[in-house]
Amino acid sequence: MSTAALPETEVLAQRARTALERCGLARLPEPVGAAGMARTPITGQYLFPVEYDTPQSAGRAVGAAQETFASTWRETPAPERGQLVRRFGELLREHKADLAELVTIEVGKIRSEALGEVQEMIDICEFALGLSRQLYGRTMPSERPGHRLMETWHPLGVVGVITAFNFPVAVWSWNTCVALVCGNTVVWKPSELTPLTALGCHSLLRRAAEDVGAPADVHRLVLGEAQVGEALVEDERVALLSATGSTAMGRTVAPRVAARMGRYLLELGGNNAAVVAPSADLDLVVRGSVFAAAGTAGQRCTSLRRLIVHEDVVDRVVEGVVGAYGQLRERIGDPYQEETLVGPLVAERAHTAMRAALEQAEAEGGQVLAGGARCLEKEAPDAYYVEPAVVRMPEQTDTVRRETFAPILYVLTYRTFEEAVRLHNDVPQGLSSAVFTQDQAEAERFLAASGSDCGIVNVNIGTSGAEIGGAFGGEKDTGGGRESGSDAWKAYMRRATNTVNYGGELPLAQGVRFL
Ligand code: UN1
C-alpha cells in the first residue's frame, strides 16, 4: 500500500467547497429541510450537510421541466438546442479539473480516471452537438400514387435520469446531453453518495443555459434517497425513466414505469468476462485484465470479474496476473497521489460484500491466489481500502455468477472454445465481454450470433473503458437499454409515421375499395 499519509477530511471538505465555488456555487445552499450528508470514501468521513429534496419538491421539479418542455424546448430547433451542449462542453473543458476533484473526493477515483470521466462528458457534448443536426428520419416509397411516406422524430417530454455512484457524472451526461438535443427536458436524481459532483454539473449546465439563452428549467436536479427517485418513477409526466444501478433496483423500477405505460431505459449490473485462447498475446491479456479488474477498485459496471482461460495457458496467465497484482499492492491508497492505482471502496457495504463473496468462494472450493485483505485500517478506520483479489475457481459457482461490486477476479478454465462460450454466457448478466485470441475465426465466432450474448463484445482488449461513440448497455439482467453513441438517441424520441397525399385522389392501401 502507499505510504503517503491520507489527506485530512477537513482539507478534503475545503477542496470540495473550492471546486464547487469555481463551478459557480457561490455558497452551498443552506440545508434547511431534510438534510443529507456529503461524504468522502478517502477517509470515510462526512464532509458537510446538503439539502435533500422531498417527493413533493421532486414533483415540483418535474412540473417545471414539463412546463419548459411544452412551452419552449420541444419547438426550439434541434441545431439551436445543440448550442446548449456546445457551450456546456466549453465550460466542462474549463472546469475539467474542478469536476474531477469532486469525483475523486466523492467516489475515490484516482486522478487520471476522474479526469477521464470528465473527458467522457466533453466527448458526449461534441457527439450531441453533431447529433443535433442529424436526427434523421427515413422516407419510404409509398405504394399509392400521389403519396409520400416518411417518418419524423419528436421529443418525448421529461426524461428522468437516475444515476449510480460509480460514474457520477459521465453516465448522467450521456443521458442528458442526448436527451436535451432531442428536445426533452431532464430531471436528475444522482446517487445519494455523490451530491456534490451533481451540484457542480448542474451549476455548469445552468450557466451554459444562461449563456445561450435556453430556459433554466431544461434541467432540474433533485437530491435525496430512494423515495426521491421513486417520485420520478411514479410520476406520469416523466415520459422516459433512464436508470443506472443494480439489477434489484431495475426490477423494482421497470414494472412500475411499465404499469403507467411510461418508457424506461435500464443499465444494470454486469458480470463481465474475458475468454483467453491459447493463441492469445499473454502480455496484452495481463495488462488488459489488470486494468479492467482492479481499475476503479473493481467498481465499474464493465469491470472484469471472470477470466475464462484455456487450460494450456492458465498457469502463465495466472502467474502474470498475480505478479501484476503484487505490484498493485504498493499502489493502493490516497487517490490524489500520482503513484496510486487503486483508491478506496465507496463504502463499508462494498467491503462487507467483498468479504462475504471471498468467504463463499473459498467454501465452494475457490483458492485465493492474491489480495483480498483490507489495508490502511489504522490510518483510516472509517475508510475501506482493499487489495484487489484473484481467486482460482474449480467451476462457475453461484458466487461467480453473482455480481459483487468490488475488485474480485475469478479464474476459470476451459478445454474447447464451445465450452468457453457456454461458460461465458451462463450468467444472468449480459453487459460487457472480451476474447483474447490471434485466431481470426475464433474471434469471429465470439462476435457471432451464437457467441457472446453481451451488449459489448471486444477482441484483444478488456471489458471496461468503452468510448462514447458506441451504444452502451447490455442484455438479460443488465436491462436491455442502450445509451450514449450510435443511434441510442432514438430511445429519447418518439417516431411519427407520416403519409401525405398530394395527388387529389384517395386510393386506399392494400387495394381496399370503399365508397
Ligand atoms: C459504468 O460503469 O456504469 O466502459 C459505466 C466504461 C466507461 C463507462 C462505464 N466508459 O468503463
Side-chain angles (χ1 to χ4, degrees):
M1 80 199 80
S2 166
T3 46
L6 293 169
E8 298 286 329
T9 303
E10 197 33 59
V11 172
L12 294 172
Q14 196 44 51
R15 290 184 82 139
R17 280 202 181 89
T18 306
L20 285 168
E21 270 167 28
R22 290 174 49 88
C23 290
L25 275 111
R27 200 159 52 79
L28 275 171
E30 287 298 319
V32 282
M37 290 297 275
R39 185 187 159 275
T40 178
I42 298 175
T43 61
Q45 290 173 352
Y46 291 116
L47 297 168
F48 40 79
V50 287
E51 184 166 4
Y52 271 2
D53 277 272
T54 59
Q56 292 70 30
S57 69
R60 287 194 293 276
V62 173
Q66 166 64 29
E67 164 60 23
T68 299
F69 169 74
S71 63
T72 49
W73 197 242
R74 67 177 162 184
E75 285 187 320
T76 303
E80 201 181 314
R81 298 192 298 243
Q83 292 308 304
L84 172 59
V85 295
R86 182 193 56 72
R87 178 68 188 131
F88 184 47
E90 284 171 3
L91 291 174
L92 290 173
R93 280 201 156 81
E94 226 174 275
H95 293 282
K96 187 172 178 181
D98 299 322
L99 284 181
E101 172 107 288
L102 293 168
V103 171
T104 295
I105 292 171
E106 281 194 310
V107 186
K109 282 194 191 186
I110 61 170
R111 203 83 189 118
S112 78
E113 287 196 57
L115 287 166
E117 182 171 353
V118 184
Q119 185 58 45
E120 271 195 56
M121 305 176 77
I122 296 168
D123 296 343
I124 199 75
C125 284
E126 292 183 354
F127 181 91
L129 173 61
L131 179 65
S132 71
R133 290 184 183 271
Q134 298 177 78
L135 300 170
Y136 299 136
R138 295 165 184 255
T139 62
M140 290 70 71
S142 169
E143 66 190 54
R144 287 172 280 190
H147 282 60
R148 186 155 74 87
L149 189 55
M150 63 177 187
E151 63 189 14
T152 314
W153 290 87
H154 295 303
L156 291 172
V158 178
V159 174
V161 178
I162 296 179
T163 52
F165 79 86
N166 66 327
F167 271 83
V169 293
V171 174
W172 163 74
S173 72
W174 303 345
N175 280 283
T176 299
C177 294
V178 170
L180 287 174
V181 301
C182 288
N184 305 290
T185 54
V186 172
V187 179
W188 179 21
K189 154 68 176 82
S191 159
E192 63 273 20
L193 298 175
T194 56
L196 303 184
T197 52
L199 284 164
C201 290
H202 179 63
S203 169
L204 290 175
L205 183 52
R206 273 266 157 123
R207 193 158 121 214
E210 211 177 292
D211 290 352
V212 301
D217 287 336
V218 289
H219 186 263
R220 291 290 298 253
L221 172 66
V222 293
L223 298 179
E225 289 176 355
Q227 72 271 26
V228 174
E230 278 164 24
L232 301 185
V233 170
E234 297 292 350
D235 197 318
E236 297 212 336
R237 296 167 299 178
V238 175
L240 169 69
L241 200 280
S242 175
T244 304
S246 68
T247 296
M249 179 276 289
R251 275 195 215 288
T252 69
V253 164
R256 289 164 74 179
V257 179
R260 60 172 177 85
M261 295 294 176
R263 296 191 191 193
Y264 56 80
L265 194 169
L266 300 176
E267 201 254 285
L268 310 173
N271 192 348
N272 318 295
V275 171
V276 181
S279 66
D281 174 336
L282 297 188
D283 183 47
L284 275 192
V285 171
V286 171
R287 284 192 293 139
S289 305
V290 173
F291 169 68
T296 332
Q299 298 171 109
R300 292 194 190 211
C301 300
T302 49
S303 286
L304 181 69
R305 313 217 177 271
R306 299 176 295 141
L307 210 46
I308 302 169
V309 191
H310 192 275
E311 278 182 358
D312 289 353
V313 288
V314 70
D315 290 339
R316 280 152 66 204
V317 169
V318 163
E319 190 189 332
V321 172
V322 169
Y325 271 50
Q327 291 170 34
L328 277 188
R329 207 175 313 133
E330 312 301 314
R331 305 177 73 173
I332 302 165
D334 176 8
Y336 275 111
Q337 297 300 319
E338 272 298 311
E339 71 275 10
T340 299
L341 293 177
V342 182
L345 292 177
V346 74
E348 181 179 9
R349 66 171 185 263
H351 180 248
T352 310
M354 181 171 177
R355 286 296 337 144
L358 288 175
E359 273 165 33
Q360 210 176 333
E362 282 188 295
E364 289 165 347
Q367 193 193 348
V368 178
L369 304 175
R374 185 170 169 195
C375 348
L376 296 166
E377 198 175 344
K378 258 214 273 336
E379 294 82 343
D382 301 319
Y384 291 87
Y385 293 85
V386 288
E387 292 177 1
V390 182
V391 186
R392 181 88 181 254
M393 293 301 293
E395 59 186 338
Q396 187 150 273
T397 61
D398 287 349
T399 308
V400 179
R401 295 176 80 254
R402 253 198 319 272
E403 177 191 41
T404 301
F405 221 61
I408 305 177
L409 179 61
Y410 299 109
V411 181
L412 303 160
T413 54
Y414 76 89
R415 287 196 71 78
T416 65
F417 197 67
E418 290 68 31
E419 189 191 352
V421 172
R422 190 181 50 71
L423 273 174
H424 177 276
N425 291 345
D426 187 24
V427 292
Q429 313 81 353
L431 180 54
S432 187
S433 59
V435 65
F436 285 88
T437 181
Q438 303 287 347
D439 178 335
Q440 193 184 352
E442 213 166 45
E444 291 292 342
R445 281 164 70 195
F446 196 70
L447 299 171
S450 53
S452 164
D453 61 4
C454 289
I456 297 171
V457 190
N458 297 336
V459 178
N460 291 332
I461 182 173
T463 52
S464 67
E467 301 176 19
I468 60 98
F472 185 94
E475 306 302 332
K476 304 193 291 186
D477 276 5
T478 303
R482 293 296 186 279
E483 298 170 332
S484 192
S486 185
D487 64 352
W489 61 270
K490 289 180 175 171
Y492 301 81
M493 300 198 86
R494 63 184 173 86
R495 180 196 326 239
T497 301
N498 316 124
T499 309
V500 181
N501 177 4
Y502 59 89
E505 303 292 320
L506 200 68
L508 299 178
Q510 299 91 40
V512 171
R513 290 176 185 282
F514 205 80
L515 260 185

